[in-house]
Amino acid sequence: MASLKIKNLHKSYSSVEVLKGIDLEIEDGGFLVLVGPSGCGKSTLLNTIAGLEEITSGEIQIGGKSVEGLHPSKRDIAMVFQSYALYPNMTVAQNISFGMDIRGIDKAEQKKAIDNVSSILQIGELLDRKPSQLSGGQRQRVAMGRALVRDPQVFLFDEPLSNLDAKLRVDMRTEIKRLHARMGTTIVYVTHDQIEALTLATKIAVLKDGYLQQFGTPDEVYNDPKNVFVATFMGSPSMNLIEAVVAKKGENLVIQIASNDNNRFELPIKNIAALEDYVGKSVLFGIRPEALTDREGADRTSDQIAHQDCMIEVVEPAGSDTFAVINLGGKEAIARLRADAKITAGEQASLAFNMSKAVFFDPASTLRIR
Amino acid sequence: MTRSISQDNAVSSSRMTRALIYAVLLVFVFYYLLPLYVMVANSFKPLDEIRGGDLMALPKVWTLAPWASAWSSAQIGVEPTGLKPYFINSILIVVPAVFLSTVFGALNGYVLTKWRFKGDGIVFGMMLLSCFIPFQIVLIPAAKVLGFLGLAGTLKGLILIHFSAGIGFSTLFFRNYYAAFPTELIKAAQIDGASFFQIFRRILLPSSAPIIVVTVIWQFTNQWNDFLFGASFSGFGTTPMTVALNNLVNSSTGVKEYNVHFAGAILAALPTLLVYIVAGKYFVRGLMAGAVKG
Ligand SMILES: Nc1ncnc2c1ncn2[C@@H]1O[C@H](COP(=O)(O)OP(=O)(O)OP(=O)(O)O)[C@@H](O)[C@H]1O
Ligand SMILES: [Mg+2]
């Protein structure tokens, strides 16, 4: 087990810069999730940690020691690939023991190690099969077994669940979390699924276009996003972003929002010093669907709930919740109501805005105003 | 109503097309098999039956004498040795050359796809060029090189020539095949600590059977059937089968023994035929595998 530290990492492929100065740190036993849209450089970052790609500049430390120039096999890491990368010509057992075979470990010891991981992952009866004779979920397990058997300092996972169907994905997610709790090994995990990121991580790094957008705990990334990209990328349905004008009302600030009937309504906002500079100007008002509910569903522990009548345009029952589409500031916004909230499409309903969860962004720079 | 009519039409027109296709194919099969039939049938006839009669007829008297003569006693040039020693020459040239050009083609393909380096595209481009150069152009430089190496007229020299001429295509085949081979497997093996050659031998090669078969058939056929290099670079004791066959047919002494010539020609073609029969299934499969991706 070891900590991992990445300092000002740059990576270019000939003329294209893919990673543009990444700084990250994960403590021993932590679970770091790299998340971001396709092509943002997640796999590249993971490959540089593994030593499969050379870095252009910067430093990577595993367990406090720079791994510069170390061959992938010498970095004490194990990797699980998106395609699983099981050797097609070998059986499951041979796949798991290939690394030991190369290192010349004797057969008896290999067998013990294989038995150990196969009982952890319950793949005992698959050991003599070829990868082509396995289901997707079983391949996934074998790939994890091959990583597990190395007993590394750091596990690297590159979208390990993205080829599984929805149900299996949730199961395996839980299993990975359980494995992590049991082994306590440091993990770096790439995904573009923000739910996976939130459920698994102790730290999340949000990447976009080779830049680190935000690095923090799941709670920080979700509730305290640094910019519009992070705010909309994390969470599903994603955060509502509504154009609003800041105004002063006595001592307090309010925001004014255009509703669908061309009237403006006001919502009180908590005191954010920087917002004083925006009085009279427009900002992006961000509120997550779950902070925009029916009156009865509102969070009772919140210190700032504002009520407002809104025209309900569409109602989408989703079993455990009901989603309502309303029009705020000329844009569609989604509210998340209790499943049995009494609302009807085309009618007004009184909604509760949990303003203590509201966040504001500068429309030009898209950075958070705080 | 209209629908069922059009369906009937579709069925009958597709039947018509099929019949037509089969008819055309049968014509072609007949057309291609006819020379083979003539050769086989006449190689079992005594000479007077050929001279007196119909080339298309089956032998009235079956005899193996032409085969025995072609193999071991017919006049090749000046020596009455039959084709046997030349057959052995060809084996001694072609087997190592096929082996070497396949192995090096595989290594080249491996490096060009999985261990990319600066300028690898140019290297590959030049190898490709070697596939399309007419070999007559390189005859004189090749002769100079062989002379310089002291290999002129030797089996080793011929092996070197065939190996060099074949490696372009081998590289092309393996490069295209390995381009479709998942790079993540190579990465996984690197993390497992496997070396350059261990990855090649234990990960790549076991999955390469189809393309190996394609390459071996391709190289074997080309090298076995080669006449140009054989005629240009072979010495007195190193003449290959194709050149010997030519000498057999052109031997001016005595009567033309057509039955012996037919038997000799079949003997010369036999190894390539055998390779196709044994491995032809994989040949098509391997060509497809290379064609789909890469
Ligand atoms: N060998 C390479 N040469 C040139 N560019 C590359 C190479 N590998 C990756 N890239 C580029 O680097 C960028 C980042 O790629 P990367 O594979 O890290 O993305 P990713 O975040 O893992 O995306 P995904 O979620 O689709 O897997 C992409 O724009 C890609 O085109
Ligand atoms: Mg990726």
Side-chain angles (χ1 to χ4, degrees):
Chain A
M1 279 175 279
S3 61
L4 171 75
K5 193 168 181 177
I6 293 169
K7 285 196 261 181
N8 196 22
L9 180 80
H10 288 260
K11 164 76 189 169
S12 312
Y13 289 109
S14 49
S15 62
V16 198
E17 189 161 32
V18 178
L19 298 174
K20 302 164 182 165
I22 307 283
D23 282 287
L24 287 176
E25 188 164 8
I26 188 79
E27 73 286 359
D28 187 357
F31 198 127
L32 168 64
V33 173
L34 307 175
V35 66
S38 190
C40 70
K42 306 179 296 287
S43 298
T44 308
L45 179 54
L46 205 66
N47 283 334
T48 59
I49 298 172
L52 297 166
E53 297 280 2
E54 279 176 21
I55 60 177
T56 311
S57 69
E59 191 177 35
I60 299 170
Q61 294 180 353
I62 295 176
K65 272 186 251 130
S66 167
V67 292
E68 186 169 350
L70 275 186
H71 188 265
S73 63
K74 301 271 159 57
R75 295 193 174 195
D76 215 353
I77 48 114
M79 191 153 168
V80 176
F81 294 89
Q82 182 170 5
S83 66
Y84 313 135
L86 300 177
Y87 310 125
N89 53 307
M90 301 181 198
T91 64
V92 168
Q94 288 165 336
N95 261 282
I96 294 174
S97 63
F98 183 69
M100 291 185 280
D101 222 23
I102 296 286
R103 274 174 282 142
I105 289 169
D106 74 75
K107 288 279 174 213
E109 205 167 312
Q110 287 189 20
K111 174 135 191 351
K112 219 160 68 195
I114 294 173
D115 288 346
N116 183 27
V117 294
S118 66
S119 74
I120 294 175
L121 292 168
Q122 292 154 5
I123 48 175
E125 61 284 22
L126 308 177
L127 287 178
D128 295 325
R129 293 205 207 159
K130 290 278 178 70
S132 58
Q133 300 164 316
L134 301 175
S135 72
Q138 289 168 331
R139 280 177 212 182
Q140 222 285 318
R141 274 166 197 280
V142 174
M144 298 229 301
R146 192 173 62 184
L148 228 51
V149 81
R150 292 178 60 84
D151 192 20
Q153 304 269 18
V154 181
F155 278 117
L156 307 174
F157 288 89
D158 192 356
E159 308 204 26
L161 306 184
S162 62
N163 286 337
L164 302 180
D165 64 56
K167 163 115 180 48
L168 202 54
R169 204 144 146 182
V170 175
D171 292 349
M172 288 306 291
R173 198 168 73 200
T174 315
E175 188 149 344
I176 289 175
K177 190 146 193 174
R178 194 177 296 139
L179 263 173
H180 178 242
R182 174 173 170 177
M183 310 253 162
T185 312
T186 314
I187 291 180
V188 184
Y189 186 105
V190 167
T191 178
H192 56 241
D193 179 342
Q194 42 86 28
I195 306 228
E196 252 174 50
L198 290 167
T199 49
L200 290 170
T202 60
K203 282 284 185 66
I204 294 180
V206 185
L207 293 162
K208 185 190 169 213
D209 299 335
Y211 289 106
L212 185 60
Q213 302 289 316
Q214 186 166 359
F215 178 51
T217 62
D219 178 59
E220 282 165 0
V221 169
Y222 189 76
N223 290 313
D224 205 7
K226 272 194 175 160
N227 58 32
V228 168
F229 174 76
V230 176
T232 47
F233 191 77
M234 304 302 288
S236 164
S238 71
M239 181 186 276
N240 300 306
L241 284 175
I242 297 134
E243 210 166 293
V245 176
V246 182
K248 191 113 188 175
K249 207 170 188 187
E251 275 299 284
N252 296 322
L253 292 176
V254 294
I255 47 167
Q256 301 173 327
I257 297 168
S259 63
N260 53 342
D261 43 8
N262 270 339
N263 291 331
R264 283 173 167 265
F265 66 84
E266 290 184 349
L267 292 170
I269 52 183
K270 55 186 175 181
N271 278 326
I272 297 172
L275 270 179
E276 298 277 355
D277 302 342
Y278 286 84
V279 172
K281 297 185 204 160
S282 63
V283 293
L284 284 175
F285 157 54
I287 187 161
R288 293 211 178 269
E290 66 268 23
L292 180 49
T293 62
D294 52 314
R295 292 181 81 113
E296 294 75 15
D299 183 355
R300 289 202 181 78
T301 63
S302 166
D303 52 11
Q304 201 176 28
I305 301 277
H307 296 291
Q308 175 63 41
D309 281 343
C310 295
M311 171 62 78
I312 307 291
E313 298 190 339
V314 181
V315 177
E316 295 173 341
S320 58
D321 303 288
T322 297
F323 292 99
V325 178
I326 59 174
N327 187 311
L328 285 181
K331 270 175 73 182
E332 276 189 358
I334 294 178
R336 182 174 189 164
L337 316 184
R338 287 175 307 127
D340 34 14
K342 296 273 174 299
I343 52 162
T344 320
E347 286 182 12
Q348 294 274 343
S350 175
L351 296 183
F353 289 69
N354 182 354
M355 295 305 288
S356 67
K357 290 272 189 183
V359 289
F360 301 92
F361 301 96
D362 184 297
S365 70
T366 77
L367 292 176
R368 178 84 174 277
I369 303 166
R370 53 168 103 226
Chain B
M1 197 55 207
T2 46
R3 220 179 121 197
S4 75
I5 285 172
S6 74
Q7 259 180 0
D8 279 355
N9 282 346
V11 169
S12 67
S13 82
S14 95
R15 260 199 208 127
M16 285 280 282
T17 330
R18 267 180 177 276
L20 201 71
I21 288 171
Y22 280 121
V24 171
L25 286 178
L26 275 174
V27 169
F28 274 110
V29 167
F30 185 70
Y31 180 75
Y32 278 111
L33 283 181
L34 198 61
L36 183 67
Y37 164 78
V38 170
M39 284 179 46
V40 173
N42 289 292
S43 71
F44 288 105
K45 288 179 193 169
L47 193 56
D48 49 356
E49 204 176 306
I50 296 181
R51 259 199 248 115
D54 178 5
L55 269 183
M56 301 301 292
L58 279 171
K60 291 192 197 74
V61 185
W62 290 78
T63 167
L64 281 174
W67 287 80
S69 160
W71 181 245
S72 57
S73 63
Q75 188 89 8
I76 312 284
V78 287
E79 308 269 348
T81 55
L83 287 170
K84 187 171 147 199
Y86 305 98
F87 189 90
I88 292 169
N89 279 347
S90 271
I91 298 262
L92 290 178
I93 295 164
V94 170
V95 169
V98 166
F99 176 78
L100 286 175
S101 58
T102 305
V103 167
F104 278 84
L107 279 170
N108 285 348
Y110 172 45
V111 171
L112 287 171
T113 54
K114 305 301 179 201
W115 298 86
R116 314 262 320 253
F117 52 93
K118 254 204 160 63
D120 55 359
I122 297 170
V123 172
F124 180 57
M126 279 163 32
M127 301 222 89
L128 263 191
L129 205 63
S130 85
C131 300
F132 303 112
I133 280 187
F135 287 135
Q136 291 84 336
I137 291 181
V138 300
L139 282 183
I140 291 169
K144 288 251 187 239
V145 171
L146 287 181
F148 177 75
L149 293 174
L151 295 175
T154 65
L155 287 179
K156 281 199 191 113
L158 282 164
I159 292 171
L160 179 66
I161 286 291
H162 283 300
F163 163 66
S164 319
I167 191 146
F169 266 110
S170 297
T171 303
L172 172 66
F173 289 159
F174 278 98
R175 197 210 78 106
N176 286 354
Y177 189 77
Y178 289 152
F181 192 86
T183 304
E184 285 194 345
L185 284 172
I186 311 293
K187 293 184 174 174
Q190 275 181 281
I191 290 177
D192 270 336
S195 65
F196 176 89
F197 282 107
Q198 277 171 326
I199 293 174
F200 179 62
R201 209 174 54 77
R202 298 190 55 176
I203 311 291
L204 235 49
L205 271 193
S207 301
S208 306
I211 202 67
I212 291 175
V213 170
V214 168
T215 311
V216 166
I217 291 186
W218 176 271
Q219 297 292 355
F220 189 90
T221 315
N222 274 336
Q223 297 181 16
W224 187 271
N225 290 339
D226 159 74
F227 186 80
L228 183 66
F229 291 144
S232 312
F233 299 130
S234 67
F236 181 66
T238 58
T239 308
M241 185 75 166
T242 41
V243 177
L245 181 67
N246 179 58
N247 294 346
L248 165 75
V249 175
N250 287 337
S251 287
S252 48
T253 49
V255 286
K256 290 254 178 224
E257 297 180 300
Y258 291 112
N259 52 355
V260 176
H261 298 173
F262 281 131
I266 295 173
L267 279 175
L270 220 48
T272 46
L273 215 62
L274 205 72
V275 168
Y276 268 108
I277 289 166
V278 171
K281 194 169 68 181
Y282 299 97
F283 184 69
V284 176
R285 208 183 285 165
L287 277 185
M288 301 306 287
V292 175
K293 277 189 190 171

